[in-house]
Amino acid sequence: MPPAHHTLIVRLPPDAADAVLADALTTAAELWWPGERSPRLWTETVPAPAGSGTAARRRAAEARRPVAPGHRLRAVLLRYAGEHPADLVLTAGGAALDARSLRLVARVLRGDLAPDAVTPLDGPLPPDLRMDGETRRLASALAVAVGRYEGAASVRVAVPVPARDRPPYALGALDGYAVFTADLSPGRTVADLLATEPAAPAEGDDPPVLMLVAGDVDGYGDEEGDGPAMLPAGPDALPVPAHQVKFVKRQLASSAPNTPLSELDLLSRAESAEQLAFGPPRKAAAGPLRIDEAFAARVADRPDAPALTAGSTTLSYAELDDRAEELADGLYAHGVRPGDLVGLCLPRGADLVAAMLAVLKADAVYVPLDPEHPADRRERTARDAKVRLTVDDPAVLTGRPRRPAASRGPATGPAYVIHTSGSTGRPKGVLVPHGNVTALVDAVRDDFALSPDDVWTCFHSAAFDFSVWEIWGALLTGGRLVVVEHGTSRRPEDFHALLVRERVSVLSQTPSAFTQLAAADRTGGGLPALRLVVLGGEPLDARPLLDWFDRHPEDRCRLVNMYGITETTVHVTAATVTRREALAGSRSVGRPLPGWSVRVLDPYGRPVPPGAPGEIHVGGAGVALGYLHRPAPTAERFVPDVVDPAGRLYRSGDLGRLLPDGTLEHLGRIDDQVKVRGFRIEPGEIRHVLLEDPAVSAAAVTVTGGAGGDAAAVRIDAYVVPAPGAGEDPGSVRERAARLLPPHMVPATVTVLPALPLTANGKLDPARLPAPGARRSPAPAAHPAPAAPAAGDPEAPAAVLAGIWRDVFGVEEIGADDDFWDLGGNSLYAIRIGTLARERGLPGVALRQLYLTPTLGALSEALTGKA
């Protein structure tokens, strides 16, 4: 498919005469295209020097302007202020002239070639697929660069090739293109890539988005771009920076043939160093303290101020401190000594917070064990941590003598252990020091305007690290902490009523839990005291927040999305979310907190270019001490910082990209990517599209099937919660998704739920999602359908085809109106249907036929007509 138009800019000397150029153009046009409307030479003066930005913008604007209908060619001579070279801008319709012919026109107008030396030739000719080494390296380099940015293992590049046996001065023949398909799979080498042969495009196949253009020694190319083929020019011509493509091209020319493609770098040494040093950690105002030391300062400041509310009980700072001291004495009496690990299996309430503080006062380390978790999980966690004592009844710690006075360890010592889910199914304990927590609070204190006037909630389980932020964020800034009873946290209407009653000003939620709270807020009245909402714990899709902003404008209630990891102390980055981000469906999680750093690196620890995806690595004040009793996983995930030899980075396992402005986009878990019919997909991308639907307020996506290696049986299932006022028809949701997603990413089923099931930590609980909603039920035939013939005619084509569909889809009943795609059809199922159809005496069924006649009845009629 030829491009819409070709443009060539030719530099002419200042003394080039307008009349001579005009006469040459008229003479040539009459010779080449007799009887057609002859092009004329237009002359314009640009009131600026040729090298100015004004001149460059004028040239670019002229190059973008298409040729008028009915014309083959437009010629514009641009002259500039002063004695400067002139530019001849030649533009031709893509179907009328090719780029090679346009260069011949330029040679004739400059006087380098006589018009009668050029012979016109109409019609396309077969392409010559031979490719020179320079073009091969350039196409390879472009593929490598784009593959790195897109995370693709295969990249197609269109390469311009001449028409085979083209006469030396042909004018009208269309230039062709070949498709260079680069295999960038792991283990491939430079020699493998450069041995790739281009292929002619398949009939009806769209040309690749990536395309090299024919070389032009008369234009504004540089020494690396000039030649048989070159990179397209213009600010948006390439999806990657051109200088990075050229840097890879030089490496391809100089590297040994057996060099793995993974060793090719997009960034020069200087650029890598600059990227590694980008956004260094901003230091907190003061050195971090121990948690109990920072709390003691708040007790000294305002001993009588309310510190904690649990149900009908409210404790002042002094009372909470006294209760913690009493429990610390009891811990000592039970043999707890500095550095020991203490399990806390207490329900949410004042005693749980006091016990946490007591463990820290005893210079020990607390290990939360949620009583709502299964007993086996609690026991396994306690065994893994090797706790010295598990506290499940604070009464056993009371009435003990005072423990002896002793100095406590430094802020770098451990404060708590929280266990995270592991890919092996075995939770890992993360050991976090005191100073990380106090540094976190100090990092956001001013930005979030945290003060003793704030009222916080402790909504989350103590075994979920979001609770660390809630509890110590409140108590280390002098605020009041409202502990939310477990049952209330599971009833959005009751929780909303608590927020109103307690006049909560700082609220922390996972996006899944906040979606349910926002639904309750529509009917629960206002939240006049709420000024700050912190969202974290899982990726945020901002689109559903528009309804929240209608009731809680941004100037009254700030909403902050925080990306974080247990291993980096709850939060790493922060981004204020406004209506603008919600409309855009932004994935930004903002910039690192003061004292934290973020780097995005490739699998070999090298920085990726700004905007390219890679693994998020976190450094700075929040990096944990490591995994408890797990030296091997600690060494694997907590790695040295190449910039700061004294520091460490945590390899998050999250995919992200660091943008040039310093903000981070979170792209999901690396290990969440799955293969569906040969395509690598990210379920989060499908969920993102579902949430953009105004009829959807919450969504989840699962990928199931494929047991026994049956790739065709892999199925994507979606679950949605309708938006207020929206209907409950899943068909409309799927139809919209089908318009926005490639076929292999369209959910096979969409199940409507009143709410998504959540874990104890407020995150989506995939295990509690119901079985997917049934695919469309077989439609009853209103009349004798082709797919349901008389019983005495079992060999009729319609009956045979119906049997094939039953076998392939595994259903008992099929109706004439059942749709191939609604039944979960895909390209692999189409191949199976076509094969079985031929085996059973029917004409083959092409995939295109299934697009045209997707229902069983329509397909039967089409095949009957062929038979």
Side-chain angles (χ1 to χ4, degrees):
M1 180 183 296
H5 68 272
H6 302 283
T7 298
L8 178 63
I9 303 175
V10 183
R11 178 56 53 90
L12 300 176
D15 58 358
D18 295 16
V20 173
L21 289 169
D23 288 344
L25 179 61
T26 301
T27 301
E30 290 176 351
L31 176 65
W32 297 334
W33 311 304
E36 294 188 16
R37 181 184 300 174
S38 295
R40 57 166 293 188
L41 179 70
W42 301 87
T43 303
E44 297 184 18
T45 300
V46 179
S52 66
T54 299
R57 288 190 292 272
R58 184 68 189 87
R59 284 191 295 269
E62 189 60 47
R64 287 193 298 268
R65 191 159 63 90
V67 179
H71 290 262
R72 285 181 181 265
L73 178 70
R74 183 178 68 251
V76 179
L77 181 64
L78 298 179
R79 294 197 177 276
Y80 306 103
E83 289 292 324
H84 290 281
D87 283 322
L88 178 63
V89 183
L90 298 174
T91 306
L97 294 174
D98 60 11
R100 188 180 306 272
S101 296
L102 203 59
R103 291 195 292 277
L104 291 174
V105 174
R107 294 183 63 191
V108 169
L109 296 186
R110 287 196 313 191
D112 298 338
L113 193 67
D116 56 7
V118 180
T119 304
L121 176 67
D122 294 327
L125 295 176
D128 183 350
L129 298 181
R130 291 171 295 183
M131 189 164 60
D132 62 279
E134 190 75 4
T135 300
R136 189 182 298 272
R137 283 188 291 272
L138 185 60
S140 298
L142 179 58
V144 168
V146 172
R148 294 281 180 85
Y149 273 86
E150 297 182 354
S154 178
V155 175
R156 299 166 71 236
V157 179
V159 179
V161 294
R164 187 183 300 277
D165 301 325
R166 178 186 170 105
Y169 299 106
L171 187 67
L174 295 175
D175 265 347
Y177 73 89
V179 179
F180 182 86
T181 303
D183 182 357
L184 308 175
S185 303
R188 301 285 289 179
T189 66
V190 167
D192 295 332
L193 181 59
L194 294 180
T196 303
E197 293 296 339
E203 184 177 354
D205 194 12
D206 291 334
V209 175
L210 295 174
M211 186 174 294
L212 300 181
V213 298
D216 171 28
V217 297
D218 296 319
Y220 291 105
D222 57 33
E223 69 280 359
E224 292 187 60
D226 297 336
M230 58 187 291
L231 297 175
D236 299 318
L238 287 174
V240 296
H243 77 276
Q244 293 176 8
V245 177
K246 295 172 184 176
F247 184 57
V248 174
K249 178 171 171 276
R250 290 197 294 271
Q251 295 173 73
L252 287 171
S254 61
S255 298
N258 62 348
T259 302
L261 296 180
S262 58
E263 293 187 7
L264 301 178
D265 208 335
L266 267 62
L267 300 179
S268 67
R269 186 171 300 177
E271 289 174 317
S272 293
E274 180 181 355
Q275 188 68 8
L276 285 173
F278 180 72
R282 294 166 288 164
K283 300 300 182 184
L289 301 172
R290 287 177 55 95
I291 295 173
D292 45 317
E293 289 174 345
F295 177 77
R298 303 289 77 77
V299 175
D301 290 341
R302 304 173 71 225
D304 298 327
L308 184 148
T309 297
S312 59
T313 301
T314 296
L315 300 179
S316 69
Y317 271 83
E319 290 170 334
L320 177 59
D321 189 57
D322 289 343
R323 177 63 170 166
E325 284 289 345
E326 181 182 22
L327 297 180
D329 293 337
L331 291 172
Y332 185 85
H334 278 75
V336 173
R337 297 296 180 266
D340 286 346
L341 278 76
V342 177
L344 299 179
C345 187
L346 297 169
R348 303 182 197 182
D351 281 336
L352 173 61
V353 178
M356 289 178 174
L357 190 55
V359 173
L360 301 181
K361 285 175 174 286
D363 203 9
V365 182
Y366 70 81
V367 182
L369 306 170
D370 192 331
E372 299 295 331
H373 287 175
D376 287 348
R377 179 183 176 88
R378 297 198 307 268
E379 293 171 4
R380 187 168 61 248
T381 300
R383 286 197 306 270
D384 179 82
K386 300 177 182 178
V387 299
R388 179 173 186 96
L389 173 72
T390 294
V391 178
D392 54 15
D393 180 5
V396 301
L397 302 180
T398 59
R400 304 292 177 170
R402 295 287 297 176
R403 67 191 186 281
S407 61
R408 298 168 191 164
T412 54
Y416 65 84
V417 172
I418 282 184
H419 284 71
T420 66
S421 298
S423 58
T424 63
R426 181 185 174 192
K428 300 188 296 291
V430 181
L431 195 61
V432 180
H434 286 259
N436 289 26
V437 177
T438 54
L440 173 64
V441 175
D442 288 340
V444 298
R445 187 191 305 264
D446 293 339
D447 183 27
F448 291 179
L450 304 178
S451 77
D453 297 329
D454 281 319
V455 178
W456 298 55
T457 53
C458 179
F459 175 88
H460 299 92
S461 163
F464 179 28
D465 72 327
F466 216 165
S467 66
V468 171
W469 157 254
E470 294 179 296
I471 294 170
W472 304 119
L475 297 180
L476 301 190
T477 58
R480 178 167 67 97
L481 179 67
V482 178
V483 181
V484 182
E485 182 266 333
H486 178 265
T488 301
S489 72
R490 292 296 173 266
R491 297 187 295 271
E493 293 79 9
D494 291 351
F495 179 49
H496 187 276
L498 178 145
L499 298 178
V500 175
R501 183 173 64 251
E502 298 292 345
R503 295 190 59 79
V504 170
S505 61
V506 178
L507 172 66
S508 298
Q509 294 273 272
T510 62
S512 294
F514 186 68
T515 297
Q516 298 186 9
L517 176 65
D521 180 64
R522 297 183 189 107
T523 57
L527 295 169
L530 190 63
R531 68 170 189 84
L532 176 66
V533 176
V534 174
L535 299 177
E538 62 185 356
L540 169 70
D541 284 285
R543 179 81 186 186
L545 296 174
L546 290 170
D547 182 55
W548 172 267
F549 287 129
D550 289 339
R551 299 186 305 278
H552 303 278
E554 303 140 60
D555 59 347
R556 299 181 197 169
C557 180
R558 181 181 176 186
L559 198 150
V560 180
N561 181 30
M562 300 189 79
Y563 164 70
I565 316 162
T566 303
E567 289 86 344
T568 56
T569 316
V570 191
H571 298 308
V572 175
T573 67
T576 297
V577 182
T578 66
R579 183 179 293 273
R580 179 177 179 179
E581 282 76 26
L583 286 169
S586 172
R587 290 187 175 188
S588 173
V589 292
R591 292 181 173 83
L593 302 176
W596 273 246
S597 68
V598 169
R599 298 191 179 94
V600 179
L601 308 178
D602 70 11
Y604 304 93
R606 300 172 303 192
V608 300
E615 184 177 6
I616 298 172
H617 290 60
V618 179
V623 179
L625 298 174
Y627 293 118
L628 185 66
H629 311 316
R630 303 283 183 87
T634 297
E636 177 187 356
R637 303 308 292 268
F638 294 84
V639 298
D641 187 342
V642 296
V643 174
D644 178 10
R648 294 178 306 148
L649 298 176
Y650 175 70
R651 293 181 52 210
S652 69
D654 288 336
L655 194 67
R657 52 174 162 245
L658 198 58
L659 302 182
D661 65 356
T663 58
L664 178 70
E665 280 192 348
H666 182 252
L667 305 177
R669 291 289 299 174
I670 293 175
D671 52 15
D672 272 352
Q673 292 185 338
V674 294
K675 264 199 172 183
V676 175
R677 296 189 291 282
F679 295 91
R680 293 204 69 83
I681 71 162
E682 167 59 56
E685 181 180 352
I686 303 172
R687 179 172 176 266
H688 186 73
V689 169
L690 293 173
L691 284 170
E692 289 178 333
D693 191 333
V696 174
S697 64
V701 175
T702 64
V703 180
T704 58
D710 186 0
V714 176
R715 192 182 71 214
I716 302 170
D717 296 305
Y719 299 83
V720 299
V721 177
E728 297 190 0
D729 176 20
S732 62
V733 175
R734 187 179 184 277
E735 288 170 5
R736 180 185 177 277
R739 294 196 300 269
L740 299 174
L741 293 167
H744 63 274
M745 294 180 68
V746 177
T749 65
V750 176
T751 304
V752 178
L753 301 175
L756 295 178
L758 304 181
T759 66
N761 293 340
K763 297 184 180 183
L764 175 72
D765 188 353
R768 292 173 54 213
L769 288 169
R775 296 188 176 99
R776 199 175 74 178
S777 301
H783 53 80
D793 189 16
E795 298 304 318
V800 175
L801 187 62
I804 292 172
W805 280 39
R806 285 194 293 268
D807 291 345
V808 169
F809 290 116
V811 296
E812 296 182 359
E813 297 181 32
I814 285 288
D817 293 332
D818 280 326
D819 186 289
F820 173 83
W821 306 105
D822 285 347
L823 286 166
N826 55 59
S827 59
L828 295 182
Y829 278 144
I831 293 172
R832 292 182 184 181
I833 288 174
T835 300
L836 290 173
R838 286 190 294 271
E839 290 177 354
R840 299 180 188 182
L842 295 179
V845 180
L847 183 61
R848 175 176 173 80
Q849 185 67 58
L850 285 165
Y851 278 106
L852 296 174
T853 55
T855 64
L856 181 63
L859 181 61
S860 298
E861 292 176 356
L863 293 184
T864 302
K866 290 181 179 181

